[in-house]
Amino acid sequence: MGEVPHVITAAPFTAVNMEPVFFRAQELRKLRTEDEGRLNNKREMAQAYVGRQAVNLFYQESTRTRISFELAEAAWGMGKSTTTEARKFSSASKGETLAHTVNVVEQYDPDVMVLRYDFVGGAAEAASLVKVPILNAGDGPGEHPTQAFGDSLTILEQLGRLDNLRITFMGDLRFGRTIRSLVYILSKCQNNHFDFVSTPDLSLSEDIKELLDSLPGITYKEHDHVSALTEVLPETDVFYVTRTQTNQGAPVLLNNQFRVTRATADLLPQHAILLHPMPIDRSDPSRSEIAPEVDEHPRARFYRQAGNCFYARMAILERIMEGKPVLEQAA
Amino acid sequence: MGEVPHVITAAPFTAVNMEPVFFRAQELRKLRTEDEGRLNNKREMAQAYVGRQAVNLFYQESTRTRISFELAEAAWGMGKSTTTEARKFSSASKGETLAHTVNVVEQYDPDVMVLRYDFVGGAAEAASLVKVPILNAGDGPGEHPTQAFGDSLTILEQLGRLDNLRITFMGDLRFGRTIRSLVYILSKCQNNHFDFVSTPDLSLSEDIKELLDSLPGITYKEHDHVSALTEVLPETDVFYVTRTQTNQGAPVLLNNQFRVTRATADLLPQHAILLHPMPIDRSDPSRSEIAPEVDEHPRARFYRQAGNCFYARMAILERIMEGKPVLEQAA
Amino acid sequence: MGEVPHVITAAPFTAVNMEPVFFRAQELRKLRTEDEGRLNNKREMAQAYVGRQAVNLFYQESTRTRISFELAEAAWGMGKSTTTEARKFSSASKGETLAHTVNVVEQYDPDVMVLRYDFVGGAAEAASLVKVPILNAGDGPGEHPTQAFGDSLTILEQLGRLDNLRITFMGDLRFGRTIRSLVYILSKCQNNHFDFVSTPDLSLSEDIKELLDSLPGITYKEHDHVSALTEVLPETDVFYVTRTQTNQGAPVLLNNQFRVTRATADLLPQHAILLHPMPIDRSDPSRSEIAPEVDEHPRARFYRQAGNCFYARMAILERIMEGKPVLEQAA
């Protein structure tokens, strides 16, 4: 059988070893939404893993990740039990440790555990304790590797490649776990250039900069003022924006210059795509990192990106249920 | 294929176009509870829509509506993902708009979305954005059309007709969304008379009164004192009572005169029925809008009414899964 | 047909009438985890009760009980709807009574209701009102009979018997519902001796002492100081420890003498087992009733115990779905 196929970090992900998931995710989308026999396909998929079970443990609020995992599990016919707001309302509120919780849940013989934790390292700790495959669904400001599958699939699908790209990241680069996971992937592809736009308080972590410094063929530049966008966006292929991760400990809000208006999005070339892992904060639309009018902008691919995360999760679950490693192994 | 079969408002509901759902709901009840082969029937139903999926988004607390929809979905073999308390614990708490949430969820290819929202118009907004059928499970003080299916089915089942009735509504008539939806239906049936009993602060909205004024054959009378009950209840066929909708913005509590005691219920004729969409507020039993001893009163049909809402929801889901309009279309 | 197979209290449980559940639980564990065809077995089990439905109503937070019931239901192919934190977020927060809630839920024709309630007697009240089998999943400081199934199964499995045992209970003996349920069982087996170690504020309830006093062949001793452990543990077969049930009304915390360190556990004989219903409170590890190093102690059987609760719940649900009484009936 080999090792347990945990998915904890995007660090080992490459364009090559992610390929089977990319391929299958695109196929699943077609089979479920475009194919003439789509309703039949959905029925057949829901008979695939009847009797297999998932436990979804969410210590932090989640909409996209939880709903898409729950629907992916149900789409394969799996049973499930989900804990939301585990920090507030589960035995964690009675002082139970993560270790005890996952050790107990393992006793119920689930086939996979999806874990969102509120501190870095939660998924890694769980994976060190149990033999059930752990899928990291976000560990505080740490990582979000299944999102990175969907993000990189969207780039591949829309631009045809993961290398030779100019990618501009803007927003909370320090506490945004999706950025860390995606940079791990794109930094291993040939000839990519990154522009990082943020305030000093929310700028890229030192360890990521050290990683990038160590990689030949990768270039990057940090910018602490939005005026840089005028220069970099016309050359950008992928513009990836995030909100301030106040719930992960970000100490300041980005000021309302670090936002995408129609004028900003118009700076992008025709072939470029604008991504955002969502949610987009609209509590004050005039400060939102994505101005409302940008939702309909021809560069925006937020929704497609969200859909790709769902199909990537279906593909990942399928490989786990089949006992296959999630990443293609070198021959 | 035609239009997406959203269910947003009871405004277009009529005794005629609701008939297929009424009929099927009653049949489903028999097949699931009375038939000798009931366990087999339940098994067969649970094989009907395997692979189809529902997303239940609840921005406000719910017991009856959420549980009955979840069980109706499972009864048809559908998969599901449910968000409860979305306002507090989902990405809505990070400032995400309803539009973003439903647009994202649509990407996961669900077959239906059940939406309870905390403001009027939530379901209509969602339906304007997505192609997935939206079922309005309550939009603030707006409407609750699937409840109206169950309420009117109960009247039809118990009294044999939806016309030529005298219906007395008592309670919070302004913020009670079930009343609005039910009045839309009953006002289109011939020769119905309404009595509305409430305090001025919670009396019927102007727009409903204007609607009733415009309809020939419909009569109604407003009463701002419970003493009117002595006069109207002996002539009443359907007595429909609600609690004060403090969670929908009702500014005052009904004083404890606007309640049904045994003596009140005894005023009803033998054939009459007492309905309440529940929950009944018993935090202070001596002020409860339904006095505890009335639960067992021979006129009370609360529980039957709740059951009919479940079977109506099963029937509605079935039509949606079959691609049929929920309302029978004119030939 | 006969009586509805509610499971409300462990009072009628005996080593004999629990036997079929014990046997089946052990068999289910083997079929699902050890058997070569385990994945096939899981698939077959998930086809057993397709179309049957469970409603899980949890008025208090729960991790183990809720997840294990949800997974047990799904493992049998049942549909389900679960309410968590019902006290805060369901219609209970609008003043609805338990009676109204369960009477309404019965209308949706579920095949079983699992109820965790925050006051003693919740499950008994529900069982007095509805014909759907009620499983008591904890009623405040009252009882937790399905946990008692798993606890006694663990003793039987690990020690080969439920009689002729010396059992030491330590912790919150008054508000710990699992202790009450387990004492009911073990006090009916021949020749058991109990040692109860606690502070006076959290010592055994009078009614249990009266019960024990009335039973010939049962002996017990109360100890109000941990120094007693030096004397009793070397003779103990089962050491059962609980945390202070602050959420059930325990007025004081056990001071940090009433805890198991490695030295304490080392006092146990080689064949003895250390049980805890979990969660173990680690909010302050230096005060935790089970010191962290004890998790790996060779006497500890917490996780096995949790697993046995899951398989016992599967066996109980199976009997209910088959229309069999949960307890073997005298011939």
Side-chain angles (χ1 to χ4, degrees):
Chain A
M1 299 302 285
E3 277 180 48
V4 180
H6 301 300
V7 179
I8 307 305
T9 163
F13 291 7
T14 68
V16 169
N17 65 25
M18 298 172 89
E19 219 169 67
V21 169
F22 288 158
F23 179 81
R24 183 60 169 153
Q26 290 182 290
E27 189 174 55
L28 288 170
R29 181 194 279 270
K30 278 201 199 84
L31 288 168
R32 293 178 69 82
T33 64
E34 296 167 25
D35 195 76
E36 219 176 295
R38 57 181 287 273
L39 294 184
N40 256 333
N41 297 339
K42 287 171 79 163
R43 174 181 287 271
E44 271 173 33
M45 288 178 200
Q47 286 159 345
Y49 303 113
V50 169
R52 312 296 287 278
Q53 306 235 56
V55 174
N56 308 300
L57 293 174
F58 282 74
Y59 284 74
Q60 286 188 320
E61 67 282 3
S62 168
T63 297
R64 260 151 293 281
T65 309
R66 182 179 54 76
I67 295 178
S68 66
F69 264 117
E70 290 193 318
L71 291 178
E73 292 152 6
W76 287 125
M78 300 173 67
K80 68 170 192 289
S81 174
T82 299
T83 300
T84 54
E85 296 295 312
R87 180 62 63 198
K88 287 189 192 110
F89 298 130
S90 78
S91 52
S93 70
K94 302 178 194 166
E96 182 165 66
T97 60
L98 176 64
H100 282 179
T101 301
V102 298
N103 275 317
V104 163
V105 168
E106 184 179 33
Q107 292 286 323
Y108 306 153
D109 193 30
D111 297 87
V112 67
M113 277 194 233
V114 178
L115 177 65
R116 167 160 295 186
Y117 203 61
D118 38 5
F119 298 101
V120 173
E125 185 192 351
S128 74
L129 294 168
V130 300
K131 296 218 175 65
V132 181
I134 301 286
L135 300 185
N136 183 1
D139 59 329
E143 284 209 57
H144 201 345
T146 64
Q147 173 81 32
F149 259 107
D151 290 351
S152 45
L153 170 56
T154 307
I155 297 172
L156 183 64
E157 173 196 73
Q158 299 287 318
L159 299 177
R161 66 187 193 280
L162 290 175
D163 52 15
N164 291 288
L165 293 169
R166 296 185 75 88
I167 309 106
T168 300
F169 287 97
M170 182 172 81
D172 176 357
L173 310 179
R174 188 167 300 175
F175 297 90
R177 56 195 170 199
T178 67
I179 289 178
R180 174 179 291 269
S181 293
L182 185 55
V183 167
Y184 281 155
I185 295 167
L186 295 177
S187 65
K188 267 171 292 172
C189 299
Q190 292 299 304
N191 218 23
N192 283 335
H193 172 81
F194 303 100
D195 286 288
F196 297 106
V197 185
S198 188
T199 56
D201 283 336
L202 300 174
S203 66
L204 211 58
S205 304
E206 285 306 313
D207 69 304
I208 298 188
K209 284 193 264 183
E210 283 167 24
L211 171 73
L212 295 177
D213 287 334
S214 75
L215 295 167
I218 295 296
T219 55
Y220 72 96
K221 194 168 174 189
E222 293 188 271
H223 311 267
D224 64 2
H225 200 277
V226 286
S227 62
L229 294 176
T230 325
E231 184 194 333
V232 304
L233 287 188
E235 307 292 318
T236 289
D237 301 299
V238 179
F239 187 21
Y240 193 106
V241 181
T242 68
R243 70 185 180 90
T244 313
Q245 308 288 311
T246 43
N247 57 327
Q248 312 294 10
V252 295
L253 276 173
L254 285 164
N255 73 51
N256 63 4
Q257 297 192 308
F258 291 86
R259 61 196 303 257
V260 184
T261 60
R262 180 181 297 277
T264 324
D266 283 346
L267 290 171
L268 289 164
Q270 292 266 336
H271 73 273
I273 56 174
L274 170 60
L275 300 181
H276 189 300
M278 305 185 80
I280 293 167
D281 186 351
R282 288 277 160 84
S283 40
D284 175 354
S286 72
R287 289 183 58 96
S288 174
E289 72 275 14
I290 303 284
E293 74 269 15
V294 178
D295 288 1
E296 307 292 327
H297 196 278
R299 301 289 84 74
R301 292 294 183 283
F302 321 139
Y303 299 138
R304 184 80 185 183
Q305 180 186 7
N308 281 335
C309 288
F310 169 69
Y311 294 106
R313 283 167 187 143
M314 275 198 76
I316 291 168
L317 282 172
E318 184 182 34
R319 291 182 72 87
I320 288 175
M321 290 308 107
E322 292 294 332
K324 289 184 192 162
V326 172
L327 300 176
E328 179 90 331
Q329 294 182 305
Chain B
M1 300 300 287
E3 278 180 47
V4 181
H6 302 299
V7 180
I8 306 305
T9 164
F13 292 8
T14 68
V16 170
N17 66 24
M18 297 172 90
E19 219 169 68
V21 168
F22 288 158
F23 179 82
R24 182 61 169 154
Q26 289 181 293
E27 190 175 55
L28 287 169
R29 182 193 278 270
K30 279 199 199 85
L31 289 169
R32 294 178 68 83
T33 64
E34 297 168 24
D35 194 76
E36 220 177 292
R38 56 181 285 276
L39 294 184
N40 256 333
N41 297 340
K42 287 172 78 163
R43 174 181 288 274
E44 271 173 33
M45 288 178 199
Q47 286 158 345
Y49 303 114
V50 169
R52 312 296 288 275
Q53 306 236 56
V55 174
N56 308 300
L57 293 175
F58 282 74
Y59 284 74
Q60 286 190 318
E61 66 282 3
S62 166
T63 297
R64 259 152 294 280
T65 308
R66 181 179 55 76
I67 295 179
S68 66
F69 264 117
E70 290 193 318
L71 291 177
E73 292 152 6
W76 287 126
M78 299 172 67
K80 68 170 192 292
S81 174
T82 298
T83 300
T84 55
E85 296 296 313
R87 180 62 62 200
K88 287 190 192 108
F89 297 132
S90 79
S91 53
S93 70
K94 302 179 194 166
E96 183 166 65
T97 60
L98 176 65
H100 282 180
T101 301
V102 298
N103 275 318
V104 162
V105 168
E106 185 179 32
Q107 292 286 324
Y108 307 153
D109 193 30
D111 297 86
V112 67
M113 277 194 233
V114 178
L115 175 65
R116 167 160 295 186
Y117 202 61
D118 37 5
F119 298 101
V120 173
E125 185 191 350
S128 74
L129 294 167
V130 300
K131 296 220 176 65
V132 182
I134 300 286
L135 300 186
N136 183 1
D139 59 329
E143 283 208 60
H144 200 345
T146 65
Q147 174 80 33
F149 259 108
D151 290 351
S152 47
L153 169 58
T154 307
I155 298 171
L156 182 64
E157 172 196 73
Q158 299 287 319
L159 300 177
R161 66 186 193 281
L162 290 175
D163 51 16
N164 291 289
L165 293 169
R166 295 185 76 88
I167 309 107
T168 302
F169 288 97
M170 181 171 82
D172 175 357
L173 310 179
R174 187 166 303 174
F175 297 90
R177 56 195 170 201
T178 66
I179 289 178
R180 172 179 293 269
S181 292
L182 186 54
V183 167
Y184 281 154
I185 296 167
L186 295 177
S187 65
K188 266 170 293 172
C189 299
Q190 292 300 303
N191 218 23
N192 283 335
H193 172 82
F194 303 100
D195 285 288
F196 297 106
V197 185
S198 187
T199 57
D201 283 335
L202 300 173
S203 66
L204 210 59
S205 305
E206 285 306 313
D207 69 305
I208 299 189
K209 284 193 265 183
E210 284 166 23
L211 172 73
L212 296 177
D213 287 336
S214 75
L215 294 168
I218 295 296
T219 56
Y220 72 96
K221 192 167 175 189
E222 292 188 272
H223 311 267
D224 64 1
H225 201 277
V226 286
S227 62
L229 293 177
T230 325
E231 182 196 333
V232 303
L233 287 188
E235 308 291 319
T236 288
D237 302 299
V238 178
F239 187 20
Y240 193 105
V241 180
T242 68
R243 70 183 181 89
T244 314
Q245 308 288 313
T246 43
N247 57 327
Q248 313 295 10
V252 295
L253 276 174
L254 286 163
N255 73 53
N256 62 5
Q257 296 191 310
F258 290 87
R259 60 197 301 259
V260 184
T261 60
R262 180 181 297 278
T264 324
D266 283 346
L267 291 171
L268 289 164
Q270 292 266 336
H271 73 272
I273 58 173
L274 169 61
L275 301 181
H276 189 299
M278 304 185 80
I280 293 167
D281 187 350
R282 287 277 160 84
S283 40
D284 175 355
S286 73
R287 290 181 58 95
S288 174
E289 72 275 13
I290 302 285
E293 74 269 15
V294 177
D295 287 0
E296 308 292 325
H297 197 279
R299 300 289 86 74
R301 292 293 183 282
F302 321 139
Y303 299 139
R304 184 80 186 183
Q305 180 186 6
N308 281 336
C309 288
F310 169 69
Y311 295 106
R313 284 167 187 143
M314 275 197 74
I316 291 168
L317 282 173
E318 184 183 34
R319 292 182 70 87
I320 289 175
M321 291 307 108
E322 292 293 332
K324 290 183 193 163
V326 172
L327 300 176
E328 179 89 331
Q329 293 181 304
Chain C
M1 303 295 285
E3 277 179 47
V4 181
H6 301 300
V7 179
I8 307 304
T9 163
F13 292 7
T14 69
V16 169
N17 65 26
M18 297 172 89
E19 221 169 66
V21 169
F22 288 159
F23 178 81
R24 182 59 169 155
Q26 290 182 292
E27 190 175 56
L28 287 170
R29 181 194 279 270
K30 278 200 199 83
L31 289 168
R32 294 178 69 83
T33 65
E34 297 168 23
D35 194 74
E36 221 176 292
R38 56 181 285 274
L39 294 184
N40 255 332
N41 297 339
K42 288 172 78 163
R43 174 180 287 273
E44 272 173 32
M45 288 178 199
Q47 287 158 344
Y49 304 113
V50 169
R52 312 295 289 275
Q53 305 237 55
V55 175
N56 308 300
L57 293 174
F58 282 74
Y59 284 74
Q60 285 189 319
E61 66 283 4
S62 167
T63 297
R64 258 152 295 280
T65 308
R66 181 180 54 77
I67 295 179
S68 66
F69 264 117
E70 289 192 319
L71 291 177
E73 292 152 7
W76 287 125
M78 299 172 67
K80 68 172 191 291
S81 174
T82 298
T83 300
T84 55
E85 297 294 312
R87 180 63 62 200
K88 288 190 192 108
F89 298 130
S90 79
S91 52
S93 69
K94 302 179 194 166
E96 182 165 67
T97 60
L98 176 64
H100 281 180
T101 302
V102 299
N103 275 318
V104 162
V105 168
E106 185 179 32
Q107 292 287 324
Y108 307 152
D109 193 31
D111 297 88
V112 67
M113 277 193 234
V114 178
L115 176 65
R116 167 159 295 186
Y117 202 61
D118 38 3
F119 299 101
V120 173
E125 184 191 351
S128 75
L129 295 168
V130 299
K131 295 218 176 65
V132 181
I134 300 286
L135 300 185
N136 183 1
D139 59 328
E143 284 209 59
H144 200 345
T146 65
Q147 173 81 31
F149 258 108
D151 290 352
S152 46
L153 169 57
T154 307
I155 297 171
L156 183 65
E157 173 196 73
Q158 299 287 317
L159 300 176
R161 65 188 193 278
L162 290 175
D163 52 15
N164 292 287
L165 293 169
R166 296 185 75 89
I167 309 106
T168 301
F169 288 97
M170 182 172 82
D172 176 358
L173 310 178
R174 186 166 301 173
F175 298 91
R177 56 194 171 200
T178 67
I179 289 178
R180 172 180 293 267
S181 292
L182 185 55
V183 167
Y184 282 154
I185 296 167
L186 295 177
S187 65
K188 268 171 290 173
C189 299
Q190 292 299 305
N191 219 22
N192 284 334
H193 172 82
F194 302 100
D195 286 289
F196 297 106
V197 185
S198 187
T199 56
D201 284 335
L202 300 174
S203 66
L204 211 58
S205 305
E206 284 307 311
D207 69 305
I208 298 189
K209 284 193 264 183
E210 284 167 24
L211 171 73
L212 296 177
D213 287 336
S214 76
L215 295 168
I218 295 296
T219 55
Y220 72 95
K221 195 169 173 187
E222 292 188 272
H223 312 267
D224 64 1
H225 200 277
V226 286
S227 62
L229 293 177
T230 325
E231 185 195 332
V232 304
L233 286 188
E235 307 292 318
T236 288
D237 301 300
V238 179
F239 187 20
Y240 193 106
V241 181
T242 68
R243 70 185 179 89
T244 314
Q245 308 289 311
T246 43
N247 57 326
Q248 313 294 10
V252 295
L253 276 174
L254 286 163
N255 73 50
N256 63 3
Q257 296 191 309
F258 290 87
R259 63 196 301 257
V260 184
T261 60
R262 180 181 296 277
T264 324
D266 282 346
L267 290 171
L268 289 164
Q270 292 267 333
H271 72 272
I273 57 174
L274 170 61
L275 301 181
H276 189 298
M278 304 183 79
I280 293 167
D281 186 351
R282 288 277 160 83
S283 40
D284 175 354
S286 72
R287 290 182 58 97
S288 173
E289 72 275 12
I290 302 285
E293 74 269 15
V294 177
D295 287 0
E296 307 292 325
H297 196 278
R299 301 290 86 74
R301 291 294 183 282
F302 321 139
Y303 298 138
R304 184 80 185 182
Q305 180 186 5
N308 282 334
C309 288
F310 169 68
Y311 295 106
R313 284 167 187 143
M314 275 198 75
I316 291 167
L317 283 173
E318 184 182 33
R319 292 181 71 86
I320 288 175
M321 291 308 107
E322 292 294 331
K324 291 183 192 163
V326 172
L327 301 176
E328 179 89 331
Q329 294 183 305

